[in-house]
Amino acid sequence: MSELRVEPLTGRQVLLATDRAGRPYDFARPAAINVDVSYRSDCPFCLGNEHTTSATRWQWPAGAREWTTRVVANKYPAICAMPNDAGDPYGIHEVFVESPRHCAWMRQLVVDEWTGLVLAWQARLADYVAHDEFNYHSLFKNVGEAGGASLTHIHSQAIAMPMVPPYMQRERERLRHQFSASGRCATCDLIERERTSDRVVFVDDDWIVFCPAASRQAYETWLVPREHAGCFATYLVNESARQRFTEKLRSLLTTIEYLLPGEGYNVLLVTQPNERALHWRLEIVPRTATFAGFELASGMYLCTVDPVAAAQRIRLAIESDEATNSDV
């Protein structure tokens, strides 16, 4: 049996088809890649190899000889650095090196490295916000080969540009229309509905974590602030909020890696301008299945694991604390 579901914020259509989880599969499943968490001479992101990347734009601790977190311009940017006559997209494309050690998985990071990466995310996005010309800010992580990573050394990326991609523009217009019609933020309404659902992984006064009903992939998980806020950088300027976010992020990513060893995944920050219709969120999308012919032909997604079951597994793993305390 299949069930058509529509994600209320984006309008994405998903077929929940749990029977497909039992279909035959001839190819080898990924195994967790264990890497030496020290140094590789051929890795541009390892401490000591800074000369192989572009110049440091931001680092933490600031001014220290040995950094914990480092931000550089992407040497292979997806967009142009400056406007051109052809009107191609331009702006900033940066790489966030989240550890000086050669780590492949987020579960290998130490506490200071978790602190540094969230500081870097907030600081750089705050700088993008200060540039009025940039109407779109995107922060994302590609982890593992299936997640699109080209280097094993753990890192994330951010893009800021004047052009708002059509996909995101449609979401913003959809949310603004709903706000105009009801006077309420659609994300805040979604939080209230999900707060008591079986898809909740965690909820407190500050955050809700849940597996969306219309998950694109098995174990897709969202982290959303319960307080209304459109802009990630503005919300996390407060040190206390930043610390609580870091704790939740660490718990979620280490749990996902524990439950799905070797599977690639993406982390997607959806951050918006500061306006009443819009609300930021963080999406974690494990790549447990490949987008294949149906997805490419239809524009719809297929999910083979019920989000209720996924949320239960994640919730139990977090409660047992096995994921956070286990080694890769």
Side-chain angles (χ1 to χ4, degrees):
M1 293 290 292
S2 297
E3 179 185 348
L4 177 63
R5 296 185 173 184
V6 178
E7 203 293 305
L9 304 185
T10 64
R12 279 193 300 261
Q13 293 186 327
V14 173
L15 279 177
L16 180 62
T18 54
D19 289 348
R20 286 182 59 79
R23 69 193 189 279
Y25 194 85
D26 270 345
F27 297 96
R29 292 292 184 184
I33 300 173
N34 293 295
V35 301
D36 179 15
V37 288
S38 54
Y39 172 79
R40 250 179 55 177
S41 61
D42 61 341
C43 175
F45 295 159
C46 284
L47 182 69
N49 296 340
E50 293 85 357
H51 62 284
T52 66
T53 71
S54 55
T56 300
R57 289 186 170 178
W58 186 96
Q59 78 165 49
W60 185 79
R65 176 171 295 182
E66 293 193 358
W67 50 272
T68 299
T69 312
R70 181 171 177 252
V71 181
V72 299
N74 195 314
K75 288 183 72 173
Y76 308 96
I79 55 177
C80 303
M82 299 293 292
N84 60 32
D85 293 339
D88 296 322
Y90 74 94
I92 298 171
H93 188 174
E94 295 183 327
V95 176
F96 297 66
V97 185
E98 297 167 348
S99 172
R101 303 171 301 121
H102 194 71
C103 303
W105 302 99
M106 298 301 287
R107 285 164 53 206
Q108 295 172 301
L109 297 188
V110 299
V111 171
D112 278 355
E113 291 164 349
W114 283 101
T115 299
L117 78 89
V118 175
L119 275 170
W121 288 0
Q122 190 280 328
R124 294 309 298 144
L125 265 71
D127 188 67
Y128 305 161
V129 170
H131 290 75
D132 292 338
E133 66 179 312
F134 296 138
N135 298 309
Y136 175 73
H137 314 137
S138 171
L139 189 145
F140 55 94
K141 286 180 62 65
N142 303 327
V143 181
E145 185 177 4
S150 57
L151 294 172
T152 56
H153 193 130
I154 208 73
H155 64 284
S156 50
Q157 302 179 61
I159 288 177
M161 59 185 183
M163 183 189 81
V164 180
Y167 175 82
M168 182 52 62
Q169 185 62 33
R170 287 194 296 271
E171 177 179 331
R172 290 183 182 181
E173 290 172 356
R174 181 186 182 91
L175 297 178
R176 287 164 178 156
H177 175 75
Q178 292 182 44
F179 183 85
S180 177
S182 68
R184 293 183 53 81
C185 164
T187 305
C188 290
D189 285 347
L190 177 63
I191 289 169
E192 284 306 303
R193 293 195 300 272
E194 293 289 2
R195 188 170 56 86
T196 56
S197 82
D198 293 336
R199 292 182 296 275
V200 166
V201 172
F202 175 89
V203 62
D204 66 8
D205 291 341
D206 299 308
W207 305 98
I208 183 168
V209 177
F210 63 96
C211 294
S215 293
R216 289 161 285 186
Q217 294 264 283
Y219 297 94
E220 178 175 348
T221 310
W222 289 12
L223 168 61
V224 189
R226 292 189 63 187
E227 179 183 344
H228 180 75
C231 179
F232 169 87
T234 302
Y235 186 83
L236 290 192
V237 72
N238 177 275
E239 182 178 355
S240 177
R242 198 163 57 241
Q243 181 179 358
R244 294 193 299 272
F245 171 77
T246 304
E247 292 168 356
K248 292 294 175 291
L249 181 70
R250 177 172 180 261
S251 177
L252 273 176
L253 294 187
T254 54
T255 299
I256 292 292
E257 290 184 359
Y258 169 77
L259 291 175
L260 304 171
E263 298 282 5
Y265 63 92
N266 301 105
V267 179
L268 314 171
L269 175 65
V270 182
T271 181
Q272 314 274 17
N274 268 322
E275 59 178 89
R276 296 175 66 191
L278 308 178
H279 197 129
W280 74 267
R281 64 182 183 271
L282 190 86
E283 304 175 354
I284 303 167
V285 187
R287 301 301 292 273
T288 55
T290 302
F291 297 142
F294 175 80
E295 290 87 348
L296 295 173
S298 67
M300 300 171 69
Y301 295 89
L302 281 170
C303 183
T304 60
V305 175
D306 191 321
V308 172
Q312 182 181 35
R313 284 198 69 195
I314 298 170
R315 185 169 60 247
L316 290 174
I318 290 175
E319 289 172 354
S320 69
D321 206 30
E322 290 176 345
T324 303
N325 295 324
S326 64
D327 296 326
V328 173

